[in-house]
Amino acid sequence: VVQRRALDLVLRAYGAETPHARVLDARFAYGAALGDAGHYDEAVVELTQVLQQAQALLGPESSMGGYVAASLARYELARGNPAASLQHAQQSLAIKRGEVAEDSYAMAMAQFQVARAQLALHATTQALKALDVARRAMLRTRGASSPQVADLDFMRARALAIEGRLPEAEQLAAQWLGLVREQTSPVLKMRAFH
């Protein structure tokens, strides 16, 4: 509701006819709010338009395009469209490659999103490679006990199990569970069950 009001105010100020960076920012925030509220279909429609306009206004490799593509990847996966999710995740990853270091947090998150879509498509070998790259960057930027590393390890255990590498998957899952139990952060404990 707040994001919709903000969008309406920005549209009144700048108009909806010609894309403006502030309008795109407001529409991106609104689309993300829709997705975060579970309105995935509406979010994808809104964010697809934002992506097209951002590319037209700012260029195909713009930072904003990368952020919008990353959000589209999340919401496409949530609505059961892993092929579209992978396409958007790879687009976001390609844009980030031109902007940030390979071992940065932003790249780790982009690789993580690619791996999630690949895993949903049962491309476990590719997913494991992306997870390895993401984990190295996440270890460097967040540390071994971070919730993000735990998320990566849990997904890696799932991928290993799918490949039939059960002893490795069980060992990693046990390590992950140990980390979750050691954490005092209620956020990590809640995330462990989602």
Side-chain angles (χ1 to χ4, degrees), residues 96 104-114 134 138 148 191:
K96 288 198 185 330
S104 67
Y105 176 78
M107 283 297 288
M109 292 305 294
Q111 290 280 6
F112 179 62
Q113 190 63 48
V114 167
M138 200 63 76
Q148 294 88 355
R191 290 178 69 168

Side-chain angles (χ1 to χ4, degrees), residues 18 23 25 32 38 40 55 73 75 77 103 119 122 130 149 159 168 177 192:
T18 305
V23 172
D25 283 342
Y40 304 125
Q55 289 173 330
Y75 303 135
L77 192 59
D103 62 348
L119 192 57
H122 306 288
V149 170
E168 291 174 82
L177 186 57

Side-chain angles (χ1 to χ4, degrees), residues 66-117:
Y67 289 118
V68 177
S71 292
L72 278 166
R74 284 181 39 223
Y75 303 135
E76 285 286 16
L77 192 59
R79 72 182 197 150
N81 195 350
S85 176
L86 180 59
Q87 179 183 355
H88 290 300
Q90 289 173 329
Q91 179 182 14
S92 178
L93 178 65
I95 291 170
K96 288 198 185 330
R97 275 208 168 105
E99 299 177 339
V100 297
E102 280 291 322
D103 62 348
S104 67
Y105 176 78
M107 283 297 288
M109 292 305 294
Q111 290 280 6
F112 179 62
Q113 190 63 48
V114 167
R116 288 183 69 212

Side-chain angles (χ1 to χ4, degrees), residues 144-147 150-151 153-154 170-193:
S145 62
S146 73
D151 288 347
D153 286 347
F154 182 74
E170 288 173 0
Q171 180 182 6
L172 192 54
Q175 290 171 356
W176 171 81
L177 186 57
L179 177 62
V180 170
R181 286 184 177 153
E182 287 175 14
Q183 293 294 324
T184 57
S185 167
V187 173
L188 180 57
K189 288 181 181 178
M190 286 185 345
R191 290 178 69 168
F193 298 102

Side-chain angles (χ1 to χ4, degrees), residues 1-8 10-11 22-51 53 64 67-76 78-79:
V1 175
V2 173
Q3 294 297 343
R4 182 67 227 189
R5 285 189 208 143
L7 175 59
D8 289 341
V10 171
L11 287 173
R22 289 201 174 123
V23 172
L24 293 176
D25 283 342
R27 289 188 67 197
F28 174 50
Y30 175 63
L34 286 169
D36 291 346
H39 303 286
Y40 304 125
D41 292 339
E42 294 171 63
V44 166
V45 168
E46 183 71 23
L47 293 174
T48 298
Q49 292 173 4
V50 172
L51 181 60
Q53 290 180 354
M64 181 174 204
Y67 289 118
V68 177
S71 292
L72 278 166
R74 284 181 39 223
Y75 303 135
E76 285 286 16
R79 72 182 197 150

